[in-house]
Amino acid sequence: MNSTRDISALVGRVFLAIIFIIGGFGKINGFDGTAAYIASKGMPFPPLMAAGAILVELGGGLLLLVGYRARWAALAIFLFLIPTTLIFHNFLADPEQQGAFLKNLAIMGGMLMVWAFGPGRFAIGGDSANA
């Protein structure tokens, strides 16, 4: 039973991390476009906001992937997703954003699970389920 739980925690962490690692690299490769999109939403300091998004997505995603300080990485990503979801995926203003909005809610749930229960046994460390 514990091995199933440990493997499930690992696979879940990897699946949660992938979207942020890919997104972070995408924002690096398309930095100007990312900053322009942020500016189009009326956000201040678009290049700084884009750099912050890269830091959270790529940095948090990598920490989550390997399980180092995974609980804190999950909490940072969860908090990052609150304004991201409300500003960039506001389906009340744009009904086509409903899928992205709901996807983010599901990811936020996964991040809260990592925060609450830790990264599992197959992690580099720096966290525990009881921390």
Side-chain angles (χ1 to χ4, degrees):
M1 177 81 157
N2 283 342
S3 64
T4 301
R5 183 176 25 209
D6 293 333
I7 291 169
S8 296
L10 171 64
V11 172
R13 258 191 10 254
V14 169
F15 286 175
L16 284 168
I18 287 171
I19 194 168
F20 293 100
I21 293 168
I22 291 171
F25 276 119
K27 284 175 179 59
I28 290 170
N29 292 331
F31 189 84
D32 291 337
T34 299
Y37 184 59
I38 291 169
S40 78
K41 296 293 185 176
M43 302 296 298
F45 313 111
L48 183 60
M49 298 290 248
I54 291 167
L55 178 67
V56 172
E57 289 188 25
L58 186 56
L62 290 170
L63 290 172
L64 192 63
L65 179 72
V66 300
Y68 183 74
R69 300 283 184 205
R71 296 179 77 227
W72 292 104
L75 182 62
I77 293 170
F78 171 81
L79 294 172
F80 166 79
L81 284 174
I82 294 170
T84 300
T85 302
L86 295 173
I87 294 166
F88 296 98
H89 302 299
N90 180 356
F91 76 92
L92 296 175
D94 181 1
E96 291 183 17
Q97 289 295 319
Q98 184 177 16
F101 182 90
L102 294 173
K103 172 198 56 106
N104 278 14
L105 288 183
I107 293 169
M108 291 167 74
M111 293 302 167
L112 287 176
M113 295 293 288
V114 174
W115 169 252
F117 299 107
R121 185 170 56 125
F122 299 121
I124 286 180
D127 277 323
S128 75
N130 300 319

